[in-house]
Amino acid sequence: MLTRLIYASEPSEALNPATVQNIVDRARINNMRLQLSGMLAFDSGHFLQVLEGPRAGLSELYGRIAADPRHRHIELLEVAPVHERRFSRWSMGFAPADAAHGEVFFRFGGNARFDPNLMSAASALGLLEAMGAASTAVSATKAAA
Ligand code: FAD
Protein backbone atom coordinates (compact mmCIF):
# COMPACT_ATOMS: atom_id res chain seq x y z
CA MET A 1 0.00 0.00 0.00
CA LEU A 2 1.32 3.39 -1.03
CA THR A 3 1.99 5.42 2.13
CA ARG A 4 3.33 8.89 2.90
CA LEU A 5 5.33 9.82 5.98
CA ILE A 6 6.34 13.36 7.00
CA TYR A 7 8.51 14.23 9.98
CA ALA A 8 10.47 17.15 11.37
CA SER A 9 13.66 16.93 13.43
CA GLU A 10 16.69 18.92 14.56
CA PRO A 11 20.33 18.29 13.63
CA SER A 12 22.18 16.94 16.69
CA GLU A 13 25.15 19.18 16.03
CA ALA A 14 26.03 22.05 13.74
CA LEU A 15 25.15 20.89 10.28
CA ASN A 16 27.85 20.94 7.66
CA PRO A 17 27.39 20.40 3.93
CA ALA A 18 29.29 17.10 4.04
CA THR A 19 26.76 15.63 6.49
CA VAL A 20 23.82 16.53 4.27
CA GLN A 21 25.65 15.26 1.19
CA ASN A 22 26.38 11.98 2.95
CA ILE A 23 22.73 11.56 3.96
CA VAL A 24 21.52 12.33 0.43
CA ASP A 25 24.06 10.03 -1.21
CA ARG A 26 22.96 7.06 0.95
CA ALA A 27 19.31 8.02 0.47
CA ARG A 28 19.64 7.97 -3.30
CA ILE A 29 20.89 4.38 -3.22
CA ASN A 30 18.66 3.05 -0.45
CA ASN A 31 15.45 4.78 -1.51
CA MET A 32 15.70 3.52 -5.07
CA ARG A 33 16.11 -0.02 -3.74
CA LEU A 34 13.03 0.43 -1.54
CA GLN A 35 11.08 2.22 -4.32
CA LEU A 36 10.72 5.28 -2.13
CA SER A 37 10.58 8.87 -3.30
CA GLY A 38 10.63 12.08 -1.33
CA MET A 39 12.30 15.28 -0.40
CA LEU A 40 14.40 16.73 2.41
CA ALA A 41 14.48 20.42 3.35
CA PHE A 42 16.90 21.67 5.97
CA ASP A 43 18.46 24.67 7.59
CA SER A 44 20.93 24.94 10.46
CA GLY A 45 18.25 24.06 13.01
CA HIS A 46 15.69 21.86 11.27
CA PHE A 47 15.09 18.95 8.97
CA LEU A 48 11.77 18.40 7.25
CA GLN A 49 11.38 15.25 5.18
CA VAL A 50 8.62 13.58 3.24
CA LEU A 51 8.93 9.96 2.15
CA GLU A 52 6.42 8.02 0.08
CA GLY A 53 6.21 4.53 -1.29
CA PRO A 54 5.35 0.96 -0.31
CA ARG A 55 4.51 0.76 3.38
CA ALA A 56 6.91 -2.08 4.16
CA GLY A 57 9.94 -0.24 2.76
CA LEU A 58 8.88 3.00 4.36
CA SER A 59 8.62 1.33 7.75
CA GLU A 60 12.02 -0.27 7.36
CA LEU A 61 13.65 3.03 6.46
CA TYR A 62 11.90 5.09 9.10
CA GLY A 63 13.17 2.68 11.76
CA ARG A 64 16.72 3.49 10.66
CA ILE A 65 16.15 7.22 10.33
CA ALA A 66 14.59 7.43 13.79
CA ALA A 67 17.68 5.75 15.28
CA ASP A 68 20.17 7.99 13.44
CA PRO A 69 22.27 10.00 15.92
CA ARG A 70 22.73 12.83 13.44
CA HIS A 71 19.35 14.25 14.40
CA ARG A 72 17.03 14.38 17.43
CA HIS A 73 13.60 15.54 18.61
CA ILE A 74 11.92 13.71 15.76
CA GLU A 75 8.28 14.65 15.46
CA LEU A 76 5.95 12.75 13.14
CA LEU A 77 3.64 15.07 11.26
CA GLU A 78 1.86 12.41 9.21
CA VAL A 79 1.72 8.75 8.30
CA ALA A 80 -1.12 8.15 5.87
CA PRO A 81 -2.18 5.92 2.98
CA VAL A 82 -2.18 7.89 -0.28
CA HIS A 83 -3.46 7.33 -3.80
CA GLU A 84 -0.48 8.74 -5.63
CA ARG A 85 3.06 10.03 -5.18
CA ARG A 86 3.75 13.76 -5.09
CA PHE A 87 7.55 13.45 -5.43
CA SER A 88 7.89 10.70 -8.00
CA ARG A 89 10.65 12.63 -9.77
CA TRP A 90 13.09 12.10 -6.89
CA SER A 91 14.35 9.21 -4.85
CA MET A 92 15.53 12.11 -2.71
CA GLY A 93 15.25 15.75 -3.66
CA PHE A 94 16.78 18.23 -1.27
CA ALA A 95 16.74 21.95 -0.81
CA PRO A 96 18.33 24.30 1.69
CA ALA A 97 15.59 26.22 3.48
CA ASP A 98 17.24 29.59 3.00
CA ALA A 99 16.00 33.14 2.70
CA ALA A 100 15.25 32.65 -0.98
CA HIS A 101 12.17 30.69 0.14
CA GLY A 102 10.89 33.37 2.52
CA GLU A 103 7.69 33.90 0.55
CA VAL A 104 7.01 30.16 0.55
CA PHE A 105 7.57 29.94 4.33
CA PHE A 106 5.17 32.83 4.78
CA ARG A 107 2.56 31.17 2.52
CA PHE A 108 2.62 27.80 4.30
CA GLY A 109 3.76 28.75 7.80
CA GLY A 110 2.88 31.37 10.34
CA ASN A 111 5.79 33.61 9.41
CA ALA A 112 8.70 33.96 7.03
CA ARG A 113 10.96 31.51 8.95
CA PHE A 114 11.45 27.80 8.31
CA ASP A 115 9.87 26.26 11.39
CA PRO A 116 8.39 22.85 10.48
CA ASN A 117 7.47 21.94 14.06
CA LEU A 118 4.78 24.61 13.95
CA MET A 119 3.26 23.34 10.71
CA SER A 120 0.39 21.03 9.99
CA ALA A 121 1.07 18.04 7.77
CA ALA A 122 -0.84 19.70 4.91
CA SER A 123 1.23 22.88 5.21
CA ALA A 124 4.48 20.92 5.41
CA LEU A 125 3.53 18.97 2.29
CA GLY A 126 2.64 22.18 0.45
CA LEU A 127 5.91 23.74 1.52
CA LEU A 128 7.98 20.77 0.33
CA GLU A 129 6.13 20.68 -2.99
CA ALA A 130 6.67 24.42 -3.51
CA MET A 131 10.37 24.08 -2.69
CA GLY A 132 10.61 21.11 -5.02
CA ALA A 133 8.94 23.06 -7.81
CA ALA A 134 11.65 25.72 -7.54
CA SER A 135 13.90 23.41 -9.50
CA THR A 136 16.89 25.75 -9.44
CA ALA A 137 16.99 25.41 -5.65
CA VAL A 138 16.73 21.64 -5.60
CA SER A 139 19.45 19.14 -6.15
CA ALA A 140 17.64 16.05 -7.21
CA THR A 141 18.38 12.43 -7.76
CA LYS A 142 16.20 10.38 -10.01
CA ALA A 143 13.64 8.12 -8.45
CA ALA A 144 13.26 4.50 -9.29
CA ALA A 145 11.20 3.91 -12.42
P1 FAD B 1 25.56 3.49 6.06
O1 FAD B 1 25.28 4.80 5.37
O2 FAD B 1 26.71 2.72 5.61
O3 FAD B 1 25.64 3.83 7.64
C1 FAD B 1 25.86 2.79 8.59
C2 FAD B 1 25.50 3.28 9.97
O4 FAD B 1 26.30 4.38 10.36
C3 FAD B 1 24.06 3.76 10.09
O5 FAD B 1 23.53 3.28 11.31
C4 FAD B 1 24.14 5.27 10.12
O6 FAD B 1 23.07 5.83 10.87
C5 FAD B 1 25.49 5.49 10.75
N1 FAD B 1 26.17 6.71 10.26
C6 FAD B 1 26.60 6.91 9.01
N2 FAD B 1 27.21 8.10 8.93
C7 FAD B 1 27.16 8.64 10.17
C8 FAD B 1 27.63 9.85 10.75
N3 FAD B 1 28.29 10.78 10.00
N4 FAD B 1 27.38 10.08 12.04
C9 FAD B 1 26.74 9.18 12.79
N5 FAD B 1 26.30 8.01 12.31
C10 FAD B 1 26.49 7.75 11.02
N6 FAD B 1 18.67 7.17 4.69
C11 FAD B 1 18.06 6.68 3.61
O7 FAD B 1 18.39 5.59 3.17
N7 FAD B 1 17.04 7.39 3.00
C12 FAD B 1 16.62 8.60 3.46
O8 FAD B 1 15.72 9.21 2.86
C13 FAD B 1 17.27 9.14 4.60
N8 FAD B 1 16.91 10.34 5.11
C14 FAD B 1 17.54 10.82 6.22
C15 FAD B 1 17.19 12.06 6.73
C16 FAD B 1 17.82 12.57 7.87
C17 FAD B 1 17.42 13.91 8.41
C18 FAD B 1 18.86 11.82 8.49
C19 FAD B 1 19.55 12.36 9.71
C20 FAD B 1 19.23 10.60 7.99
C21 FAD B 1 18.59 10.07 6.85
N9 FAD B 1 18.95 8.86 6.31
C22 FAD B 1 18.31 8.38 5.19
C23 FAD B 1 20.06 8.07 6.86
C24 FAD B 1 19.55 6.93 7.71
O9 FAD B 1 19.27 7.41 9.00
C25 FAD B 1 20.60 5.82 7.79
O10 FAD B 1 21.83 6.37 8.23
C26 FAD B 1 20.83 5.17 6.43
O11 FAD B 1 19.61 4.77 5.87
C27 FAD B 1 21.76 3.97 6.64
O12 FAD B 1 22.19 3.65 5.37
P2 FAD B 1 23.08 2.34 5.15
O13 FAD B 1 22.35 1.15 5.68
O14 FAD B 1 23.40 2.34 3.69
O15 FAD B 1 24.31 2.51 6.08
Side-chain angles (χ1 to χ4, degrees):
M1 180 187 294
L2 196 57
T3 301
R4 180 170 64 227
L5 184 152
I6 306 174
Y7 73 86
S9 64
E10 297 174 7
S12 305
E13 2 184 283
L15 203 57
N16 66 60
T19 299
V20 178
Q21 193 61 54
N22 180 264
I23 289 169
V24 171
D25 286 348
R26 294 312 304 175
R28 181 176 63 86
I29 296 165
N30 294 337
N31 295 6
M32 283 181 75
R33 176 175 54 82
L34 295 169
Q35 297 188 304
L36 299 175
S37 43
M39 176 151 171
L40 175 71
F42 62 94
D43 71 2
S44 57
H46 306 90
F47 288 115
L48 174 64
Q49 187 173 29
V50 58
L51 289 159
E52 57 190 15
R55 186 169 62 193
L58 193 54
S59 302
E60 177 193 324
L61 176 61
Y62 184 69
R64 274 189 278 141
I65 290 176
D68 193 318
R70 291 171 287 187
H71 64 164
R72 62 187 178 183
H73 300 155
I74 302 172
E75 197 172 311
L76 271 175
L77 276 62
E78 176 182 68
V79 183
V82 291
H83 299 300
E84 61 178 320
R85 295 174 190 256
R86 301 282 189 95
F87 300 88
S88 56
R89 284 194 291 161
W90 302 305
S91 60
M92 174 76 127
F94 71 104
D98 55 24
H101 295 98
E103 185 275 330
V104 176
F105 303 150
F106 187 69
R107 180 148 51 107
F108 291 102
N111 54 50
R113 286 186 300 114
F114 178 59
D115 204 344
N117 295 91
L118 298 180
M119 302 181 85
S120 67
S123 293
L125 185 63
L127 174 69
L128 287 162
E129 281 189 298
M131 291 177 76
S135 55
T136 53
V138 175
S139 300
T141 55
K142 281 216 170 293

